[in-house]
């Protein structure tokens, strides 16, 4: 049986992922590498905002970048991809939402958004 190490600062990982734009970036990158401009267009967000979020995701090793020609292309770090390119953390949270929350977030229904 695997045990969880409480020495790992999990709260910092969840803090990084507790942002709709960063989750959107991760979901967009599941289909393959993209540039800042491609991500900004797909997510209807400003390029500087996307760049900042990519910096946070890169610092936390969720994404990596590679220069291709004149563009910097971003992709998910291989260890963050699992079966079917879906990250397991999102799969686990989705399963939790289905089984424990009956597909309805109780935080939203009682007015607690963030």
């Amino acid at each position: 049986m695997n045990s969880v190490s409480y020495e790992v600062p999990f709260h910092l990982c969840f803090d990084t992922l507790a942002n709709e734009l960063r989750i959107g970036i991760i979901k967009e990158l599941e289909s393959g590498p993209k540039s800042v401009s491609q991500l900004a267009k797909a997510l209807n967000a400003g390029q500087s905002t996307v760049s900042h979020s990519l910096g946070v995701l890169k610092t936390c090793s969720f994404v990596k970048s590679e220069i291709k020609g004149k563009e910097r292309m971003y992709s998910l770090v291989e260890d963050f991809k699992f079966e079917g390119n879906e990250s397991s953390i999102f799969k686990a949270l989705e399963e939790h939402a289905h089984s424990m929350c009956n597909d309805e977030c109780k935080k939203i229904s009682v007015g607690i958004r963030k």
Side-chain angles (χ1 to χ4, degrees), residues 7 17 42 53 57 60 62 69 71 90 96 99 104 109 114:
E7 294 175 15
L17 296 174
S53 288
L57 291 168
C60 295
F62 288 112
E71 289 190 303
F90 292 130
H96 172 83
S99 65
E104 183 177 314
S109 66
K114 295 189 184 206

Side-chain angles (χ1 to χ4, degrees), residues 21 25 28 34-51 54:
L21 180 59
I25 289 170
E28 283 294 320
K34 292 185 177 53
S35 67
V36 172
S37 59
Q38 290 171 318
L39 289 165
K41 184 177 179 181
L43 298 166
N44 196 28
Q47 287 190 16
S48 62
T49 305
V50 170
S51 285
L54 282 164

